[in-house]
Amino acid sequence: MKFNTKTIHGGQKEVDPAYNSVMPPIYQTTTYKQVSPGEHKGFAYSRSGNPTRAVLEQSMASLENGTHAMAFGSGLAAIDAVLKLLIPGDEVITTSDLYGGTYRLFTRIYAHFGIKFHFIDLDQLAELNQFINPNTKLVWIETPTNPMMNIIDIEAVSKISKKHQLLLAVDNTFATPYLQQPLDLGADIVMHSATKYLGGHSDVVMGTLVVKDQELARRLYFIQNASGAIPGPQDCFLVLRGIKTLHVRMQRHCENGRAVAMALRNHPQVDKVYWPGFSDHPHHEVAKKQMKDFGGMVSFTTVEGTQESALKMLKSLKIFSLAESLGGIESLAGHPATMTHASIPKEERERTGVVDALIRLSVGIEDDQDLVNDLHQALGD
Ligand code: P1T
C-alpha cells in the first residue's frame, strides 16, 4: 500500500465488526464486561487498551512502517515514556537545538532522577563517538529541529548508535511520516507530537510512539499502561480523522512553505531565513536525501534584529495568528525566545540561533498569495 492510501486505510481493516461503520466508533467506555475473569474480547480496561485508540495506534504503526504504536495524552507524555526506559546513572546524548519543552523535561525532571544529558552541537554529531561511554543508552534527535530548521542525518546517526547498541529516538513532529520515515533509516523509536500535523486542526493535544521491535514495544506498552498517560477515545478519533488527510494537507503546507520562504528571502527588510529547501541551507543535501519535501515551517529574522522589531511585526500580522503550536491548517506565527523556547537559558538558546529577533512561522494551507501579502504588509510594505 502506498503512503496516500495508508493514511486512509493503513492498519484499519475492520474498524467496526458490529455494524461495518467506515469510521471507527468512539468507544467512550472505561471498562468491558468479562465472561469470567480475564475472559474478554481483547479489552479489559481503557487505560490498558481501548478499541478507538487501538485503531489510531495501528494507523500510526502503518504510516511509520513500524509494527507497534502507543498513543499518549501529549507529545511530552510520549517523550516521558521513552525516558522511563532509563534508570539512574544512564546517559542520553541529544542536541542543543530542541523544542523547549523537551529540553525542560530533560533538565528539570529527569536530570533530578540521576539521568545525565549531553547537549551537543549539531556539527559535533559526526563525532558522536567521543561522547559515548558505557552509561550511554539513548540518542534523542529532532529533525528538522524546532525552530532553527536544522536537518540531522538520521541514517548516519543510526549507524553510530547501532554500533554502540544505543537506542535512537527521532522526534518526527515537524516532518511527519509523509516527508520522512525514521524507522526505515535505522531509528528505533519515532515520536510525534500528534497535536501538530497529525491531528492537523489545532483541536487535540496528543503524542505517539512507533517502534518496529517486539521487545521494545513490550517495554513501552508496559510503561504506557503502568504510568497511564493515555489519550481519551474522542481525541483518538479526531487524530485518526486528521491523519486521513495528512498527505493532502502536507502537500499544501510544503507548497505554501516554499512560497513564504522565497518571499521572505527576497524581502529587503528580512535578514536570515531558515528553511531546508534553500540550496544553500547548510543541510540541504541531507534534507533532499531523507525528506520528500521541505515542510511548512519557516523561521526568520528581520534586518532590525531586535526583540521589539520582531514583536512589532508579529502584532501587525492579520492572517497569521500569534500563537504557540504548529501544524494546523491555519497559519501561526510565534516568538520562540519568549514562547516555545523560553525555558532554555538565553545563552544556550542564542548559541543555537534562537535569538530575541527570531520569528517562527507555521505556514498553513490558506491561499499562498494571501499569506505572502500578510507578511509583506507586516514588514511595512
Ligand atoms: O505539546 P505536546 O503535544 O506535548 O508536544 C511537545 C513537542 C514535542 N516535540 C516537538 C518537536 C514539538 O514541537 C512539541 C510541541 N511544540 C510546540 C507546542 C511548539 O509550538 O513548538
Side-chain angles (χ1 to χ4, degrees):
M1 220 189 268
K2 298 256 174 39
F3 187 84
N4 294 354
T5 310
K6 277 188 180 180
T7 54
I8 297 163
H9 300 290
Q12 299 170 57
K13 246 195 234 143
E14 233 185 56
V15 294
D16 174 24
Y19 298 109
N20 291 339
S21 63
V22 170
M23 283 301 284
I26 301 170
Y27 281 92
Q28 193 74 51
T29 185
T30 55
T31 194
Y32 310 79
K33 278 188 199 166
Q34 304 191 15
V35 180
S36 59
E39 197 186 327
H40 51 68
K41 295 187 171 176
F43 296 94
Y45 183 58
S46 279
R47 170 166 34 74
S48 316
N50 171 286
T52 316
R53 191 174 94 213
V55 178
L56 170 67
E57 291 172 336
Q58 285 153 22
S59 160
M60 279 308 298
S62 159
L63 291 185
E64 286 286 8
N65 296 331
T67 53
H68 301 77
M70 300 95 203
F72 295 85
S74 70
L76 279 173
I79 303 174
D80 182 80
V82 174
L83 294 174
K84 286 189 171 114
L85 292 167
L86 306 176
I87 55 169
D90 285 351
E91 298 189 11
V92 179
I93 299 176
T94 185
T95 61
S96 23
D97 191 8
L98 272 183
Y99 167 57
T102 308
Y103 177 91
R104 184 176 54 198
L105 180 66
F106 289 176
T107 56
R108 305 272 301 276
I109 305 277
Y110 279 95
H112 297 163
F113 290 124
I115 293 169
K116 193 166 172 188
F117 295 88
H118 300 271
F119 294 92
I120 68 171
D121 286 339
L122 285 166
D123 53 12
Q124 291 175 309
L125 267 182
E127 294 128 52
L128 192 56
N129 285 313
Q130 70 192 58
F131 297 92
I132 297 173
N133 67 48
N135 295 328
T136 313
K137 296 287 154 53
L138 173 70
V139 178
W140 182 277
I141 58 171
E142 255 176 39
T143 179
T145 61
N146 180 0
M148 294 312 298
M149 306 305 297
N150 285 302
I151 306 295
I152 298 173
D153 188 334
I154 300 172
E155 202 166 17
V157 175
S158 94
K159 279 194 183 127
I160 304 173
S161 307
K162 278 199 170 45
K163 197 167 129 207
H164 296 274
Q165 294 172 343
L166 312 178
L167 284 176
L168 171 62
V170 178
D171 183 334
N172 204 23
T173 300
F174 269 35
T176 84
Y178 173 79
L179 294 178
Q180 126 190 318
Q181 288 154 334
L183 296 180
D184 290 351
L185 301 171
D188 301 290
I189 302 172
V190 180
M191 176 264 153
H192 283 279
S193 168
T195 317
K196 316 298 189 242
Y197 290 104
L198 297 178
H201 296 73
S202 307
D203 50 12
V204 186
V205 175
M206 195 188 289
T208 61
L209 299 176
V210 187
V211 299
K212 58 178 178 184
D213 174 80
Q214 181 94 28
E215 175 55 15
L216 189 53
R218 190 195 62 72
R219 291 174 67 202
L220 286 167
Y221 171 70
F222 176 82
I223 293 167
Q224 182 196 35
N225 184 41
S227 289
I230 46 105
Q234 293 264 1
D235 285 354
C236 292
F237 176 89
L238 283 174
V239 170
L240 194 68
R241 187 171 71 163
I243 285 174
K244 285 174 187 283
T245 55
L246 178 68
H247 52 300
V248 234
R249 286 185 287 108
M250 284 310 291
Q251 196 180 347
R252 183 64 72 86
H253 281 296
C254 291
E255 285 167 18
N256 286 2
R258 176 175 280 106
V260 163
M262 297 292 184
L264 287 172
R265 188 172 198 163
N266 291 327
H267 198 283
Q269 287 305 315
V270 172
D271 185 18
K272 296 199 178 76
V273 185
Y274 301 94
W275 178 67
F278 291 132
S279 58
D280 58 357
H281 181 286
H283 317 125
H284 179 66
E285 289 309 315
V286 182
K288 268 202 330 204
K289 184 178 77 164
Q290 71 188 21
M291 296 172 75
K292 189 169 159 184
D293 205 337
F294 305 108
M297 298 299 296
V298 181
S299 298
F300 70 101
T301 55
T302 57
V303 287
E304 278 180 71
T306 61
Q307 173 152 324
E308 292 67 42
S309 64
L311 297 184
K312 188 167 155 251
M313 153 131 205
L314 284 166
K315 282 186 196 156
S316 312
L317 290 164
K318 294 194 165 76
I319 295 177
F320 282 84
S321 298
L322 171 62
E324 303 251 354
S325 206
L326 59 113
I329 45 178
E330 65 287 291
S331 292
L332 303 180
H335 184 242
T338 56
M339 294 167 74
T340 49
H341 292 68
S343 53
I344 304 180
K346 187 174 165 76
E347 209 174 88
E348 201 146 325
R349 74 171 155 74
E350 289 199 334
R351 213 160 37 81
T352 63
V354 186
V355 293
D356 291 344
L358 190 77
I359 291 173
R360 188 192 74 181
L361 302 177
S362 170
V363 182
I365 61 169
E366 301 95 335
D367 183 87
D368 60 346
Q369 202 50 54
D370 282 340
L371 297 179
V372 168
N373 290 346
D374 192 28
L375 292 164
H376 278 177
Q377 67 77 23
L379 284 164
D381 285 9

